[in-house]
Amino acid sequence: MDVLIKNICCIGAGYVGGPTMAVIADKCSDIEVNVVDINEERIKLWNSPNLNDLPIYEPGLSQIIERCRGRNLNFSTDVQNKIASADMIFISVNTPTKKKGLGAGQASDLKWVESSTRQVAKHAKGNTIVVEKSTLPVKTAKVIQNILESVQNSVEGNETTFQVLSNPEFLSEGNAINDLEFPDRVLIGGESENAINALSNIYKRWVPDEKIIHTNIWSSELSKLTSNAFLAQRISSINSISSLCEKTGAEINEVAKAIGTDSRIGGKFLSAGPGFGGSCFKKDILNLVYIYEYYGLHDAADYWNSVLKINDWQKKRISNYVIDKLNGTVSGKKITILGFSFKADTNDTRESPAIDICLDLLEEGALLAIHDPKVNQNQIKSEFEERNFNENQNWSYNPNIIENIKESHAILILTEWKEYQSLDWQDIEKLMIKPSWVFDTRLITDHNQIKKTNINFWRVGEITNKETHSFS
Ligand code: UDX
Ligand code: ADP
């Protein structure tokens, strides 16, 4: 008989847990969904009456929160009691790359997974299905299972039983609600048929049956890493081609369109840019590399490592190019940075290419005027400080784009925000110091408009207006 889920607890109210639970609560009004977190400030923001204060910006999210919060969706720090009343528990805690110890710089730090699993082991009651949602290295389900079983066995007369499932998220930030409502697939890995059915039945409320894939638990975990590694590999591939376009006169958008029409390649995820960011790609490839190394598969490890190397190279070549075009020195020069989030429609700055590129310019003495429609000054500051850059007097933040641009030598576009697509270049030219430069790493500017001005401009994957190609 199918297990009927009436009460869900999600541990971790972050970018994954928050939107995922909001959509489950929205689609299943008969299920009580409790999202818990140890971070009181975050929970306070999730409960904020002003929906603009939610801790995560995601198009469509605030409308769902408005509909469901207080109905069957609750946010709290009451981890213990919400675990105790749940039939199904999602683990959606952070799993960043380890900073020290064994596997530092490569393996995921599982301390938050472990501590939340211990809380589950201690407080859960009755038959409980535990779902790993965070991106985790292969075989983590075993770690979760072992902790649950050992704590469980150590308490005499304990009647709690656990089934562990892997149900990786495939959310692309900025599009998370759409990805949840209309997923390409839902992947559920596990052994217990009852548990798999219980979770499938939740998704079946809005996802067609054929899109719900069942695999063994290890295939599910590995598919998540592989999926992100393949996506990241596409970006490194197109970025490496962009450099060749700049030398030869080919245009990266034309090349992307031409290859994308081959149905075996497909047209998505072929936009050249400043390099990929976000919390997943780098972390997941590092994890994959770590696992290959562990099994002695060094050549395959090198292969995937090269995807990361090209990503770093792309960022570096952009900052070097800017410095080169500003006569080899940016010292004391004001440069306007448009965009700090790792992509548009999110306030997330984790691994944003803007961090490394800005730091390169700051190290060279540039004065940066940074703008982003959703990222605030404190977040930028903490990203710089985390990289040990504390000279905060050398950069400024202003929510007004035009104020930032005044007296700049150059504008560097790093995120493809809509606001930057319709700038009036003729007006902007009057505000800038001459010779002025615009560097567009996202191919969002209207170059026909810029051509009408005396602004020098460069767009990734295209030859600049002042250069001609030559094969000699
Ligand atoms: C990714 C995966 O897409 C998602 O399935 C997974 O579960 C989590 O990781 P996310 O990191 O939110 O999602 O963003 P994504 O849209 O994949 O973009 C990642 C990075 O690649 C961004 O910095 C983006 O700007 C860059 N990118 C993406 C490109 O440079 N070019 C492209 O064509 C696509
Ligand atoms: P992701 O992008 O994977 O969602 P985030 O860092 O945005 O990652 O969110 C993870 C959340 O998990 C954080 O808000 C963190 O406070 C929370 N968390 C970590 N460990 C625990 C725990 N043991 N109990 C409850 N919440 C936790």
Side-chain angles (χ1 to χ4, degrees):
M1 206 179 67
D2 277 355
V3 183
L4 190 62
I5 301 298
K6 293 199 180 110
N7 190 307
I8 288 176
C9 171
C10 172
I11 308 180
Y15 283 89
V16 175
T20 308
M21 292 304 123
V23 170
I24 291 183
D26 197 27
K27 302 289 181 188
C28 313
S29 56
D30 54 321
I31 299 180
E32 182 180 330
V33 180
N34 291 301
V35 188
V36 294
D37 203 297
I38 41 176
N39 182 336
E40 282 180 23
E41 184 55 26
R42 211 167 206 182
I43 291 297
K44 212 165 114 200
L45 292 172
W46 278 112
N47 284 322
S48 169
N50 183 349
L51 292 168
N52 289 325
D53 290 341
L54 295 180
I56 285 161
Y57 171 71
E58 199 58 70
L61 176 64
S62 60
Q63 290 88 327
I64 300 181
I65 298 293
E66 192 171 25
R67 271 200 298 278
C68 303
R69 198 176 55 188
R71 182 187 79 183
N72 63 328
L73 176 65
N74 302 296
F75 295 90
S76 80
T77 51
D78 186 6
V79 181
Q80 178 174 336
N81 284 320
K82 301 302 178 196
I83 287 177
S85 49
D87 325 302
M88 181 176 273
I89 297 171
F90 286 79
I91 297 186
S92 303
V93 298
N94 35 328
T95 51
T97 305
K98 269 181 99 171
K99 290 204 171 124
K100 50 186 184 186
L102 204 63
Q106 283 190 329
S108 274
D109 194 337
L110 297 181
K111 79 173 170 223
W112 292 275
V113 171
E114 189 166 332
S115 69
S116 50
T117 307
R118 285 185 189 282
Q119 285 168 301
V120 173
K122 199 165 159 200
H123 303 299
K125 292 203 164 57
N127 296 335
T128 309
I129 298 169
V130 178
V131 185
E132 53 168 13
K133 197 67 175 156
S134 322
T135 302
L136 296 163
V138 187
K139 301 269 173 182
T140 309
K142 195 78 206 149
V143 175
I144 295 179
Q145 187 97 48
N146 286 346
I147 295 174
L148 294 174
E149 277 170 11
S150 58
V151 176
Q152 189 185 322
N153 294 339
S154 65
V155 184
E156 220 178 297
N158 189 342
E159 298 206 335
T160 311
T161 57
F162 294 105
Q163 279 104 34
V164 180
L165 298 177
S166 156
N167 173 220
E169 55 84 16
F170 294 103
L171 307 183
S172 160
E173 283 176 30
N175 202 43
I177 301 301
N178 191 58
D179 289 340
L180 284 159
E181 291 183 337
F182 307 99
D184 285 344
R185 77 315 210 173
V186 167
L187 187 54
I188 301 176
E191 279 155 26
S192 153
E193 211 175 306
N194 272 346
I196 292 173
N197 287 343
L199 184 55
S200 300
N201 286 341
I202 292 176
Y203 286 111
K204 275 182 189 170
R205 313 265 193 117
W206 74 97
V207 180
D209 284 16
E210 66 277 12
K211 289 198 171 182
I212 302 176
I213 303 172
H214 297 166
T215 65
N216 78 35
I217 205 151
W218 318 127
S219 303
S220 170
E221 289 182 335
L222 185 58
S223 301
K224 171 65 204 252
L225 296 187
T226 309
S227 178
N228 276 348
F230 267 59
L231 291 169
Q233 178 205 47
R234 271 172 87 88
I235 299 167
S236 280
S237 299
I238 202 75
N239 283 343
S240 81
I241 299 291
S242 74
S243 65
L244 203 51
C245 290
E246 288 159 30
K247 298 285 180 206
T248 58
E251 293 197 7
I252 195 64
N253 272 351
E254 292 182 350
V255 174
K257 191 171 173 195
I259 64 167
T261 50
D262 183 326
S263 58
R264 293 167 302 175
I265 296 175
K268 290 184 185 165
F269 244 72
L270 285 176
S271 303
F276 56 77
S279 69
C280 284
F281 285 179
K282 183 175 175 189
K283 181 181 81 176
D284 289 354
I285 292 181
L286 285 172
N287 249 321
L288 209 54
V289 167
Y290 183 72
I291 297 167
Y292 277 118
E293 296 285 7
Y294 175 84
Y295 288 110
L297 302 166
H298 304 296
D299 291 331
D302 288 348
Y303 170 72
W304 286 107
N305 231 339
S306 70
V307 172
L308 294 177
K309 272 198 193 154
I310 291 288
N311 201 47
D312 285 339
W313 172 80
Q314 181 79 347
K315 292 184 264 188
K316 198 49 121 190
R317 83 178 185 88
I318 288 172
S319 35
N320 285 347
Y321 190 85
V322 172
I323 296 165
D324 184 49
K325 289 298 151 190
L326 297 184
N327 304 324
T329 174
V330 289
S331 182
K333 291 181 180 166
K334 181 177 174 187
I335 299 176
T336 298
I337 302 293
L338 294 186
F340 201 83
S341 58
F342 78 96
K343 63 177 191 177
D345 290 328
T346 175
N347 60 348
D348 195 348
T349 54
R350 289 177 290 178
E351 300 296 337
S352 175
I355 304 169
D356 285 341
I357 294 174
C358 285
L359 285 177
D360 280 347
L361 298 173
L362 286 165
E363 293 296 347
E364 290 290 321
L367 304 173
L368 302 186
I370 305 177
H371 175 271
D372 190 286
K374 291 289 173 198
V375 178
N376 64 36
Q377 186 166 7
N378 283 341
Q379 205 174 330
I380 298 171
K381 187 164 172 260
S382 71
E383 288 290 7
F384 286 160
E385 288 178 351
E386 196 160 305
R387 305 283 211 287
N388 296 321
F389 184 88
N390 299 302
E391 289 161 45
N392 292 320
Q393 72 282 1
N394 288 352
W395 63 275
S396 61
Y397 170 86
N398 190 328
N400 182 310
I401 301 179
I402 296 301
E403 291 288 325
N404 280 296
I405 289 173
K406 274 184 195 157
E407 310 275 298
S408 287
H409 291 255
I411 296 172
L412 173 55
I413 302 176
L414 293 178
T415 315
E416 70 282 24
W417 286 103
K418 227 178 26 249
E419 295 68 347
Y420 308 148
Q421 292 172 17
S422 50
L423 293 172
D424 186 328
W425 294 107
Q426 273 163 345
D427 280 355
I428 285 175
E429 183 184 14
K430 295 180 203 135
L431 303 173
M432 295 181 73
I433 291 186
K434 316 240 163 6
S436 6
W437 270 93
V438 171
F439 302 96
D440 176 4
T441 68
R442 296 284 189 171
L443 290 161
I444 56 166
T445 47
D446 178 347
H447 60 283
N448 288 324
Q449 251 243 31
I450 305 189
K451 269 186 196 154
K452 290 182 193 150
T453 70
N454 285 316
I455 300 174
N456 297 294
F457 74 96
W458 169 87
R459 304 191 338 142
V460 70
E462 290 177 4
I463 230 151
T464 66
N465 57 340
K466 294 279 156 65
E467 290 167 0
T468 50
H469 76 273
S470 139
F471 295 104
S472 59

